[in-house]
Amino acid sequence: RVLTAGIGLVYDMCGDDTIKDELVATLAKGLMSGTIEAPSKMVRPEDENAELFEDGGIKIDDKALGGGNLTTYKELCTVATELGQPELIYKFLNLAGHQKVWNSRRGAAFGFSTIAGKAADRLKPHLPKLIPKLYRYQFDPNERIQEAMGSLWQMVVTDPDKAKLEYLDDILVDLLPSVGSRLWRVREASCLAIADLMSGKRFEHVEKHLVEIYRMSLRAMDDVKETVRVAGTTLNRAVSGLSCRLCDAEQSGEVVAGKALGMLLPFLLEEGINQTAAEVRVASIHQMVKVVKGAGPSLRPYIADIAVVLIESLSSLEPMMNTYVQQHAERMDSQVAEKFERARLSASRNTPLTETLELCLRVIDEDGADATLPRLVPVIRSGVGLPTRCGVAKFVSSLAFSHATRQAVAKHSNKVLKALATGLEDRSQVVRHAMASCAGRVFAVAKESACDDYVSHLVSMLEERGAEDANVRAAVALAFKELMTSSSDQMKSHHSVVLPIAFMARHDSDETAKECWEQVWTEGAGSTAAGVRMHMPEMAAIIPKYLHSASWETRRTAAVACKEFAETLGGSVGPHLLGLMEAVEECVKGRVWDGKEEVLGAMAALAVAGKVKVREEDGMAKRVAAVIFGECGKKRKEYRVGALRAAKQFCADFKEDVGGAGGLMACVRDLWEKEEEVKSAQKAHVSAGRDADAEEQYEARMEERGKEEVRAVALGCVQEAWVSSLCGDGEAALACSWSFPALQAGSLPERTAAVSLLTSIAGEQGRDFPGNLAGEALSGLIKCMRLPGLQHHPLHAAAAKCAGLIARGGGGDAESLRELRVAAEGLMGQEGKPKQEAQTLLGALNTREGGDTEMKQ
């Protein structure tokens, strides 16, 4: 201790600056490194390893200043070296001789303050290095060091505000790297010091360092130590407030706001919102919203950059959990997946990113839109994620809807519409809807050539990929629906192309596509009759084209449209009848496929609508009958039922032309073969847990039920084709043999068809009915009249009418007539048609009995 005091006195008494410099250099190196390489003349060799302080004699937190136990004295020595005034170390030697005073931090600060006061003039050249260190130590986590350094700061700096402003660049140059120091105390103090500096600063004060301050604040917010993170948040809050003020044109002026935006926005967009730490990323997003909100018109030059980055970030910032849940929802149910997609989209629209995009839309002008749209086209084509794809569609829609940016949208409409068309093939229904809706808005302001190309692309897409993919058909239908809704005026010139397709495609088996095409047709055509007549040539040309398609679904849709086309036009279909009929006949050829029965329905409808033309063409009616009747013999149930219904429709107008029901009966007689075996299977009882025999019986019963439906339709078809003058007794007996089993044990449709057939066989007066079969016929009719239940009332009326005709024609014996009277009297308790027919039947029976009495007399 005496030695250190002596060295301090020697330094004060020495007048040779060279010796002072040598003393300063030698002792500084020894204090900082612990060794002295060459002994000085003023230090004896045996003293070179002497300890100046006891270990831990004046101890502070070692983490602030490095490894090992450090002291306030050594800390102050480090400060003196950093100041460029290492000679001040010799003044510190006096601390070792005053144990009671200098063992405390306050004492150390007092001694250093005294030294600094004496060396004030010599310190002035070193203030640019001194002030940053002193300023940082005022924010040291240790309160005693803060107090000590605060006192020293007041000794060195007479006007703190002036000094901070004068040495602002020096302070920032020193403190900004310290935010990334390996020592947590240095990082924390640097953050708090810079945050204190930000108050009240103008743009020219911080222009060179603003971005770096922002960058280091975000780095500190993601620090490993909590206190540093808190300090970093404080710094970030301070620089954010300053930035918002600088970017606000009303507070800083348009020039300053423009420069500040040019510096901050690229940083926030490239680094801020792409931070890996969620807290830092959220803070950056919120700060960007504040900056954009206050920027106003000054934001316009940067909207292109903002829009592209933010739209792409909509998906990258979405929680990964949403994507995970979406994948599992798609495996469960498509409707559940779509609902979840809509929930994700709704959530993405309530984020700060979306708010920022809306703020950009408020200030964007035509030049900004002109610069933004070309950069959005790649995002439309290949953007990743539901929020991004829907977000870009919404942004472009808003540009197309705004009067300020419509011209720019029209300028780029060709590229935009082509890009949106690719989005229609997205697997997400929500994305397809967003793209279609956006295209509808753009179409409303697009150039004519762009509109033509877009419509042509949709038609090609439907024809090339829609045949086998229901999603493509639904997407094209959705696109045209949006066009008709949002751009009805522009679509008028395309009605001749779109409406014929809509007329046909609204019969699609996919419900989504069907609903959309129905809306397209309703919007464009108004009524079916008016639309068909207006676009008759186009429809007559497009239906054969689709009937020749390789896709069965396309053929089915075209066949249904052809049927409606014929039924709507009626006799006006004549000029197009031959072309359509030829296409339909060609389509009937080949194997049976799902929906092929619609082709036969179209053939029958065409023949009925153009019956005048059909009869004019030699042999055409018989050719059509041969095709339809031939298909009635196919074994596939659905197809056979459709063929029989088509035959029934055809025979309603052409039964005389085709010679009655004889040809048709030959095609359906197999339906009543092996009746006994079927009846035995029908009586078997089937229940759950059935054995092999019961299973066989059950399958037989199910097959019988299918045959019941076919037989019911076949009986109705034969009835429609029946012409008494063209059908002989053999055909009548055969038809009766098919009807009698149905009357006794058939289903309601089968019984109803059988009664109608017997009524046709009986003729208007009942005299055509075979006399030898009248008794069996009346037995079956009586059973039908006695069936209970309201559902049988129409059957009661039909059976009573048929029985009356047979009775009036002389059929039936006395016993049958008595049972018939009892059954008729039982119907008198009903209302409406059954009662009326029962009264007519009783009258016929009375007349019959009166006639029989006269004959006996």
Side-chain angles (χ1 to χ4, degrees):
R1 295 176 181 176
V2 174
L3 182 60
T4 57
I7 293 176
L9 292 174
V10 170
Y11 177 80
D12 286 337
M13 297 173 61
C14 182
D16 191 344
D17 291 339
T18 304
I19 296 175
K20 285 186 175 183
D21 291 339
E22 185 177 356
L23 285 172
V24 168
T26 303
L27 190 54
K29 188 172 183 179
L31 289 174
M32 301 307 295
S33 64
T35 59
I36 300 176
E37 293 180 357
S40 173
K41 294 180 180 180
M42 299 187 65
V43 181
R44 292 182 298 173
E46 57 270 21
D47 296 333
E48 62 183 8
N49 293 322
E51 293 185 1
L52 297 178
F53 294 94
E54 295 180 0
D55 187 26
I58 305 178
K59 186 177 180 181
I60 64 172
D61 191 346
D62 62 307
K63 294 182 181 179
L65 302 172
N69 290 326
L70 304 179
T71 64
T72 303
Y73 171 68
K74 189 173 183 180
E75 173 74 10
L76 295 176
C77 289
T78 303
V79 173
T81 302
E82 293 177 349
L83 295 177
Q85 284 271 98
E87 64 269 19
L88 294 179
I89 297 173
Y90 291 96
K91 296 298 181 180
F92 301 157
L93 297 179
N94 291 319
L95 294 173
H98 301 280
Q99 184 69 28
K100 292 183 180 180
V101 177
W102 301 112
N103 278 349
S104 68
R105 297 179 182 85
R106 294 175 60 85
F110 174 77
F112 190 72
S113 299
T114 302
I115 295 171
K118 292 179 180 180
D121 293 337
R122 299 188 66 183
L123 287 176
K124 287 184 179 179
H126 304 286
L127 286 180
K129 297 181 179 180
L130 170 64
I131 286 179
K133 302 297 182 183
L134 293 180
Y135 185 71
R136 187 192 75 196
Y137 278 117
Q138 293 182 89
F139 299 91
D140 193 88
N142 189 296
E143 294 182 358
R144 293 185 177 275
I145 291 182
Q146 289 184 25
E147 183 179 354
M149 293 304 172
S151 300
L152 184 58
W153 171 264
Q154 293 177 1
M155 293 293 298
V156 175
V157 178
T158 56
D159 188 348
D161 293 336
K162 181 179 178 182
K164 287 191 288 186
L165 186 61
E166 181 179 354
Y167 295 100
L168 180 63
D169 285 344
D170 299 308
I171 294 174
L172 291 176
V173 169
D174 183 79
L175 293 186
L176 284 174
S178 299
V179 176
S181 171
R182 65 183 181 86
L183 303 176
W184 71 266
R185 295 178 62 126
V186 176
R187 299 197 300 271
E188 182 177 337
S190 299
C191 289
L192 296 174
I194 299 174
D196 183 71
L197 279 176
M198 293 297 99
S199 177
K201 295 300 181 289
R202 295 195 299 271
F203 180 70
E204 56 269 20
H205 296 155
V206 297
E207 180 179 3
K208 294 187 295 183
H209 308 285
L210 183 59
V211 174
E212 188 63 22
I213 294 173
Y214 232 126
R215 180 180 290 109
M216 298 309 292
S217 73
L218 297 180
R219 176 176 177 176
M221 289 177 68
D222 192 27
D223 199 272
V224 295
K225 186 168 179 57
E226 183 178 0
T227 57
V228 179
R229 292 197 298 270
V230 173
T233 302
T234 302
L235 173 58
N236 184 261
R237 192 161 45 242
V239 70
S240 174
L242 173 64
S243 301
C244 291
R245 177 169 59 82
L246 295 178
C247 293
D248 192 338
E250 295 182 358
Q251 298 185 52
S252 303
E254 293 185 2
V255 176
V256 171
K259 291 181 179 180
L261 286 170
M263 296 170 59
L264 291 174
L265 285 177
F267 166 75
L268 290 174
L269 293 172
E270 295 173 8
E271 299 185 32
I273 65 175
N274 292 322
Q275 293 286 327
T276 55
E279 297 82 357
V280 181
R281 185 169 62 246
V282 170
S284 300
I285 293 172
H286 284 287
Q287 290 162 16
M288 183 171 56
V289 174
K290 292 179 181 179
V291 169
V292 171
K293 187 179 295 184
S298 302
L299 188 67
R300 287 171 180 167
Y302 311 100
I303 288 180
D305 296 328
I306 296 174
V308 173
V309 175
L310 292 189
I311 289 173
E312 290 179 340
S313 300
L314 287 173
S315 292
S316 62
L317 298 181
E318 185 186 25
M320 293 297 295
M321 177 184 66
N322 289 356
T323 305
Y324 176 80
V325 175
Q326 183 70 57
Q327 293 175 349
H328 288 273
E330 291 175 354
R331 296 175 185 174
M332 294 172 59
D333 187 357
S334 59
Q335 293 183 351
V336 173
E338 183 177 348
K339 289 180 180 179
F340 186 71
E341 284 183 340
R342 296 192 182 280
R344 289 174 59 195
L345 182 59
S346 177
S348 69
R349 289 177 176 173
N350 295 320
T351 61
L353 295 180
T354 305
E355 182 182 355
T356 306
L357 289 171
E358 291 176 353
L359 292 173
C360 293
L361 288 170
R362 295 178 187 175
V363 299
I364 193 171
D365 56 7
E366 185 176 343
D367 293 336
D370 189 33
T372 303
L373 284 168
R375 299 183 60 181
L376 291 180
V377 169
V379 182
I380 298 173
R381 289 184 181 275
S382 56
V384 178
L386 174 73
T388 292
R389 294 182 69 77
C390 293
V392 70
K394 187 175 184 297
F395 191 85
V396 175
S397 296
S398 300
L399 293 179
F401 188 74
S402 173
H403 290 283
T405 55
R406 285 187 175 182
Q407 294 299 323
V409 175
K411 178 180 177 182
H412 300 280
S413 58
N414 196 10
K415 293 182 179 179
V416 172
L417 286 175
K418 287 182 179 179
L420 290 170
T422 62
L424 296 175
E425 300 182 47
D426 195 279
R427 67 177 184 176
S428 168
Q429 172 67 18
V430 175
V431 173
R432 293 198 297 267
H433 189 278
M435 294 295 181
S437 178
C438 177
R441 290 285 183 85
V442 174
F443 195 90
V445 299
K447 297 180 290 186
E448 184 177 354
S449 59
C451 294
D452 294 341
D453 292 343
Y454 183 65
V455 172
S456 299
H457 178 83
L458 292 180
V459 174
S460 300
M461 181 177 169
L462 178 65
E463 294 177 348
E464 295 173 4
R465 296 189 295 279
E468 302 298 336
D469 192 341
N471 288 332
V472 172
R473 298 198 301 272
V476 174
L478 179 62
F480 277 123
K481 186 194 80 170
E482 293 296 334
L483 293 181
M484 297 297 293
T485 303
S486 304
S487 313
S488 56
D489 292 338
Q490 286 76 7
M491 280 297 294
K492 289 181 179 178
S493 59
H494 302 282
H495 278 184
S496 59
V497 175
V498 176
L499 290 184
I501 297 176
F503 175 77
M504 184 190 69
R506 67 197 183 104
H507 301 289
D508 199 298
S509 59
D510 183 78
E511 290 298 325
T512 302
K514 181 178 180 180
E515 181 180 353
C516 292
W517 283 118
E518 189 65 43
Q519 293 184 33
V520 172
W521 174 255
T522 303
E523 289 285 341
S527 67
T528 300
V532 169
R533 294 185 183 278
M534 182 177 295
H535 302 285
M536 181 168 54
E538 292 86 356
M539 292 180 183
I542 197 173
I543 289 175
K545 175 182 177 182
Y546 283 89
L547 283 173
H548 294 148
S549 171
S551 168
W552 296 343
E553 173 59 25
T554 303
R555 293 183 185 181
R556 187 202 65 80
T557 303
V560 177
C562 181
K563 180 179 179 180
E564 185 179 11
F565 179 76
E567 291 175 347
T568 302
L569 290 177
S572 301
V573 77
H576 308 286
L577 177 65
L578 296 180
L580 292 173
M581 188 64 77
E582 181 181 355
V584 170
E585 288 184 35
E586 185 67 25
C587 190
V588 172
K589 297 178 181 179
R591 57 171 293 185
V592 177
W593 38 266
D594 292 341
K596 187 179 179 180
E597 60 273 10
E598 300 294 349
V599 180
L600 299 175
M603 177 178 284
L606 283 171
V608 171
K611 51 190 172 184
V612 175
K613 184 72 173 178
V614 171
R615 290 191 173 101
E616 289 177 355
E617 295 291 327
D618 186 26
M620 187 174 184
K622 292 184 178 181
R623 188 173 77 249
V624 172
V627 173
I628 297 178
F629 291 174
E631 299 302 306
C632 290
K634 296 297 177 66
K635 302 302 181 183
R636 188 170 178 176
K637 175 196 165 185
E638 295 81 2
Y639 182 67
R640 193 168 196 180
V641 169
L644 289 169
R645 287 173 178 162
K648 181 177 180 179
Q649 181 183 7
F650 176 76
C651 290
D653 286 278
F654 291 95
K655 50 189 169 185
E656 291 86 359
D657 300 84
V658 298
L664 179 61
M665 292 176 68
C667 299
V668 298
R669 63 186 308 162
D670 62 296
L671 292 171
W672 286 272
E673 293 177 354
K674 299 182 182 180
E675 189 69 20
E676 295 301 325
E677 290 82 349
V678 174
K679 290 300 180 182
S680 63
Q682 179 179 342
K683 296 177 182 178
H685 176 72
V686 180
S687 62
R690 48 187 174 263
D691 55 19
D693 293 337
E695 182 69 26
E696 184 179 354
Q697 293 174 352
Y698 175 76
E699 292 178 356
R701 174 57 184 155
M702 292 300 101
E703 183 180 357
E704 172 60 18
R705 286 186 179 179
K707 283 188 176 182
E708 286 178 357
E709 180 183 357
V710 180
R711 285 198 295 264
V713 178
L715 289 174
C717 184
V718 173
Q719 179 269 326
E720 192 67 53
W722 190 267
V723 180
S724 298
S725 60
L726 299 176
C727 298
D729 293 341
E731 292 173 337
L734 181 60
C736 288
S737 68
W738 295 348
S739 301
F740 293 160
L743 295 177
Q744 295 293 336
S747 62
L748 178 59
E750 194 175 2
R751 280 173 164 159
T752 303
V755 171
S756 299
L757 177 56
L758 293 180
T759 302
S760 298
I761 294 174
E764 295 182 0
Q765 301 299 323
R767 297 174 181 174
D768 297 330
F769 199 87
N772 59 332
L773 301 176
E776 190 174 356
L778 290 177
S779 176
L781 293 172
I782 290 171
K783 186 167 185 177
C784 292
M785 294 168 63
R786 290 175 175 173
L787 291 173
L790 294 175
Q791 71 274 20
H792 293 114
H793 282 190
L795 178 60
H796 295 163
K801 179 180 179 181
C802 181
L805 291 174
I806 295 175
R808 190 178 298 114
D813 54 17
E815 183 62 28
S816 299
L817 295 179
R818 280 195 300 270
E819 292 183 7
L820 186 59
R821 177 179 292 276
V822 174
E825 291 174 350
L827 297 181
M828 294 300 292
Q830 299 182 14
E831 298 293 336
K833 191 70 172 176
K835 184 177 181 179
Q836 295 176 7
E837 294 297 341
Q839 290 174 346
T840 304
L841 173 57
L842 290 173
L845 291 175
N846 292 333
T847 304
R848 171 78 177 272
E849 290 178 358
D852 291 343
T853 302
E854 292 179 1
M855 289 290 294
K856 290 179 180 179
Q857 291 177 354

